[in-house]
Amino acid sequence: MSTKNPTKHTAIALTAANKIEAIEVPTRSPGADEVLIKVDYASYGAGDAHAVDDNFEVFGYPEGLGFVATGKIVEVGKNVEGLKEGDEVGAFTQPGADRGLQQYVVAPANRVSKIPSNIQPQDVAAVLDNFVTACMSKISELVKALGSKVAVLVPIKLGNLKTLTEGGGKLVTSITEEMVPFSVGVEAEATNALHWEQDPNMKEKLLRQILPALLESGDIKPQPVQVINKGSLLERVQEAAQLVRTNQLRGTKAVIAVE
């Protein structure tokens, strides 16, 4: 650990089912293929809502929140190339303790994208998880041909409008024939964006090379964001959770100012 970085910092985590708390965690040094980021912004999205409200992809406590973090690199692992201290980056963070809603986060270098000068860090916090999800999907808006295939992202929340906006509904992680809203003969396959690193090319190039180039060229633009920056860090996350749970954002991404 560099002497200029703190030994402990504040993180937001699930400490029990449906319970979000601010906790103090060690600030760990990055491994050989990792970087340590001082976090400025982190997103709170559907994946976090499913973890908090439905215990989806929660394997133990405390479980960190925030799939995406942006900030500056403050320490670099010995094997990392192309990234250095002071670089402004976004990271698609790891499950467990290394999620984005904390003051410092360690991320594998392959999960880190340099932020081009033509885009704001808070906007990048709304891009990375969407980009990985899109690259794992093949969703067609109009599928009619027999023999066509469409990928459906899971999990899916089922329920009526009132139930869903109140945070209820049933979470499903597999697709049945009755659930597919496409023509007869169209085959649906469930796909999970969290498995993107199983493809070696995606793991190596998707965030390190492809995304920064697309952001710099303007071929990919972030969705609108709502930056939440009032109150304590815990209060900000609780506000974001309520906005997402009750569907108040409607196409806008909740981005939390961490510092």
Side-chain angles (χ1 to χ4, degrees):
M1 163 87 44
S2 170
T3 56
K4 64 185 177 183
N5 299 323
T7 57
K8 295 181 180 180
H9 65 269
T10 299
I12 303 298
L14 272 172
T15 57
N18 312 118
K19 186 175 183 180
I20 305 174
E21 290 187 294
I23 60 175
E24 192 174 70
V25 297
T27 307
R28 72 178 183 90
S29 294
D33 299 306
E34 298 175 323
V35 298
L36 176 64
I37 301 166
K38 186 177 187 297
V39 179
D40 293 322
Y41 297 96
S43 64
Y44 185 99
D48 299 299
H50 288 319
V52 172
D53 296 333
D54 308 301
N55 208 42
F56 179 71
E57 293 284 329
V58 175
F59 303 108
Y61 301 106
E63 177 79 22
L65 297 173
F67 276 63
V68 177
T70 66
K72 287 186 172 63
I73 293 176
V74 293
E75 194 171 347
V76 179
K78 64 180 182 180
N79 293 341
V80 175
E81 297 180 355
L83 296 170
K84 64 182 186 303
E85 290 186 26
D87 281 348
E88 198 156 42
V89 296
F92 190 43
T93 60
Q94 305 178 97
D98 290 326
R99 282 296 189 208
L101 275 165
Q102 54 184 313
Q103 293 172 314
Y104 289 82
V105 67
V106 169
N110 74 287
R111 285 175 167 253
V112 172
S113 296
K114 280 188 181 180
I115 299 177
S117 59
N118 60 325
I119 188 168
Q120 297 298 312
Q122 60 266 36
D123 293 328
V124 174
V127 170
L128 272 78
D129 53 345
N130 292 350
F131 180 67
V132 171
T133 299
C135 290
M136 286 291 290
S137 310
K138 299 172 184 176
I139 297 177
S140 170
E141 294 181 359
L142 184 62
V143 181
K144 293 183 177 180
L146 296 182
S148 296
K149 288 188 177 183
V150 59
V152 180
L153 286 172
V154 295
I156 297 171
K157 203 74 173 284
L158 300 179
N160 60 38
L161 182 61
K162 182 176 187 299
T163 300
L164 293 173
T165 55
E166 290 176 351
K170 178 184 179 183
L171 195 74
V172 296
T173 58
S174 60
I175 306 298
T176 64
E177 185 176 345
E178 294 76 18
M179 292 169 55
V180 179
F182 305 111
S183 301
V184 174
V186 175
E187 183 181 349
E189 296 179 355
T191 183
N192 190 325
L194 300 179
H195 299 161
W196 66 284
E197 289 177 303
Q198 293 178 2
D199 183 318
N201 285 325
M202 290 184 71
K203 180 177 180 179
E204 179 184 353
K205 298 178 180 178
L206 189 65
L207 297 183
R208 284 297 304 276
Q209 299 177 28
I210 297 172
L211 180 58
L214 291 172
L215 288 172
E216 188 169 22
S217 67
D219 290 320
I220 284 184
K221 299 183 186 304
Q223 70 186 98
V225 302
Q226 180 170 329
V227 177
I228 300 171
N229 56 12
K230 290 182 170 42
S232 68
L233 182 55
L234 177 60
E235 289 168 339
R236 296 173 192 182
V237 176
Q238 291 171 330
E239 179 182 347
Q242 181 65 9
L243 289 171
V244 173
R245 179 181 299 117
T246 55
N247 197 29
Q248 294 183 54
L249 296 175
R250 300 187 181 277
T252 299
K253 193 71 164 277
V255 173
I256 295 157
V258 174
E259 289 295 337

